[in-house]
Amino acid sequence: MASILITGGAGFIGTNFVRHWRRAHPNDEILVLDALTYAGNAANLDGLDQVRLVVGDIGDTELVRQILRNHDISTVVHFAAESHVDRSISGPAAFIETNVVGTHSLLMAAKAEWLDRGSGRPHRFHHVSTDEVYGSLGPDDPAFSETTTYSPNSPYSASKAGSDHLVRAYHHTYGLDTTISNCSNNYGPYQYPEKLIPLFLLNCLRGIALPIYGDGMNVRDWLHVDDHCQGIEKVIANGRSGEVYNIGGGQELTNIAVIDAICTALDRAFVDTPSLAQRFPAAPAANGQPSASLKSYVTDRQGHDRRYAINASKISNELGYAPRRDFAAGFAETLAWYLENGDWWSALLDKAQR
């Protein structure tokens, strides 16, 4: 039996990774370190065996050292981060504190326990990052590769770039066994309803306007969170120490195409399942109107990157990674999950409104 520490494991991607790891490694001890800020939800881990939640801050270096030592941790998977770009524009300080200072705190703890104490034990510190560190692409530019120059354009992406550089430095300077993955836009179960897909999906169900930035033609590569998790597992198991791996879904879509897919799928769901109209009476689809009637164009986000795209050939060629879902299949699963788990997201919305 091995022991693994997952930071931010009560958040969106972290929760899905905890569940993925439990399925794939049923005998491992899993420790989750999460500060349970607004996007962290202890209920996300309900029903999981041998998963221990430690409520705490990644910036507490001594706490992390104690966890690594007392539980004989050999692998750290670092998800904990402030991640919403809009929030980083209005309040960048929290992003520097968590994403840069917090990551450095984890690295100091890992170095102290795995290297300085002379255990010599095999270890792996995996850092989960984003394609946003690479900046913005033009319509005909090649997709981001692991050698693309960093060019972050928001406080969020700048803070993630800084954390990436620290992880790299701890490998090259001290010999810490690290890997980094940079992923494209994730979607799927347990995503906090501030990101595009859950926000617009729940707005449609509640009859609230769908605020589309600019012309809606910004392009993102969409990656189902379960596919992301299996990619991370491959990097942890067989990725080369000190290396970076880009994980993408291979599904470039404009924001407006994603929004239209949400509206179309919801309208169809209300036709196929008439009882939805009773559950969500404020939805346009409950009243014979198209969900697209809620679309509203708003002033574009400051510094809004135009296009992201991931070249995942490195992880594919070296580690055999390939996404298992296209966007149509992944979104159908996601829609079904949100329709079936109204209690989960209703509780989050109620808490946010208090």
Side-chain angles (χ1 to χ4, degrees):
M1 183 180 78
S3 296
I4 183 172
L5 173 63
I6 302 172
T7 73
F12 163 46
I13 306 177
T15 289
N16 282 278
F17 185 79
V18 170
R19 292 178 172 276
H20 173 87
W21 197 267
R22 172 50 65 237
R23 291 191 298 269
H25 305 272
N27 296 319
D28 282 5
E29 179 186 20
I30 299 174
L31 280 94
V32 170
L33 177 60
D34 200 298
L36 297 184
T37 57
Y38 76 95
N41 185 357
N44 290 355
L45 305 175
D46 286 351
L48 292 174
D49 295 328
Q50 289 182 272
V51 174
R52 180 178 302 182
L53 172 63
V54 178
V55 179
D57 192 333
I58 59 172
D60 187 342
T61 309
E62 184 55 36
L63 171 63
V64 178
R65 288 191 64 175
Q66 291 175 9
I67 293 171
L68 295 179
R69 185 186 315 131
N70 295 343
H71 295 274
D72 205 23
I73 300 291
S74 58
T75 303
V76 171
V77 189
H78 177 32
F79 292 97
E82 296 283 348
S83 65
H84 190 43
V85 175
D86 285 356
R87 289 178 183 264
S88 83
I89 293 170
S90 60
F95 288 72
I96 303 305
E97 186 64 30
T98 298
N99 299 354
V100 180
V101 179
T103 297
H104 187 234
S105 172
L106 289 173
L107 290 165
M108 287 193 295
K111 174 179 176 292
E113 294 301 318
W114 288 339
L115 302 180
D116 297 347
R117 293 180 71 237
S119 69
R121 67 172 299 156
H123 61 268
R124 173 58 56 92
F125 185 107
H126 181 73
H127 174 60
V128 180
S129 191
T130 172
D131 58 0
E132 296 190 42
V133 299
Y134 299 123
S136 184
L137 293 170
D140 299 318
D141 289 339
F144 300 132
S145 75
E146 291 79 1
T147 60
T148 299
T149 301
Y150 274 33
S151 185
N153 291 319
S154 71
Y156 162 62
S157 56
S159 69
K160 290 299 287 184
S163 64
D164 292 5
H165 293 323
L166 284 169
V167 174
R168 174 185 170 88
Y170 265 68
H171 170 74
H172 286 276
T173 301
Y174 303 114
L176 197 68
D177 183 347
T178 68
T179 46
I180 299 171
S181 57
N182 296 84
C183 68
S184 55
N185 273 36
N186 277 222
Y187 67 99
Y190 298 102
Q191 189 167 28
Y192 189 81
E194 65 184 358
K195 300 297 180 76
L196 190 152
I197 287 179
L199 174 66
F200 279 51
L201 174 58
L202 302 188
N203 277 14
C204 283
L205 292 176
R206 296 179 295 155
I208 299 173
L210 307 178
I212 303 167
Y213 283 130
D215 61 2
M217 296 303 292
N218 301 74
V219 175
R220 300 293 182 262
D221 175 14
W222 291 91
L223 170 65
H224 191 278
V225 66
D226 282 348
D227 289 331
H228 185 196
C229 290
Q230 59 109 354
I232 293 171
E233 183 182 21
K234 288 179 180 294
V235 175
I236 293 169
N238 296 306
R240 290 181 287 135
S241 183
E243 288 295 312
V244 177
Y245 295 88
N246 284 351
I247 304 177
Q251 302 288 293
E252 281 192 62
L253 295 167
T254 61
N255 286 349
I256 196 65
V258 172
I259 293 163
D260 286 342
I262 293 170
C263 294
T264 299
L266 263 181
D267 292 347
R268 185 181 306 116
F270 272 75
V271 171
D272 294 342
T273 309
S275 61
L276 289 176
Q278 295 179 332
R279 291 175 56 197
F280 306 107
N287 301 288
Q289 301 298 315
S291 298
S293 63
L294 295 172
K295 291 195 294 187
S296 173
Y297 289 85
V298 299
T299 302
D300 205 358
R301 170 196 287 163
Q302 292 173 288
H304 199 180
D305 291 335
R306 191 63 171 172
R307 173 177 169 248
Y308 303 146
I310 283 282
N311 177 346
S313 60
K314 179 177 178 179
I315 190 173
S316 175
N317 294 335
E318 290 190 15
L319 306 180
Y321 165 80
R324 297 170 180 169
R325 302 163 180 81
D326 61 14
F327 182 79
F331 177 70
E333 292 178 20
T334 301
L335 173 61
W337 189 90
Y338 278 92
L339 290 176
E340 292 168 5
N341 289 273
D343 290 344
W344 178 86
W345 54 261
S346 293
L348 291 183
L349 295 175
D350 289 344
K351 181 179 178 181
Q353 291 170 357
R354 291 188 198 132

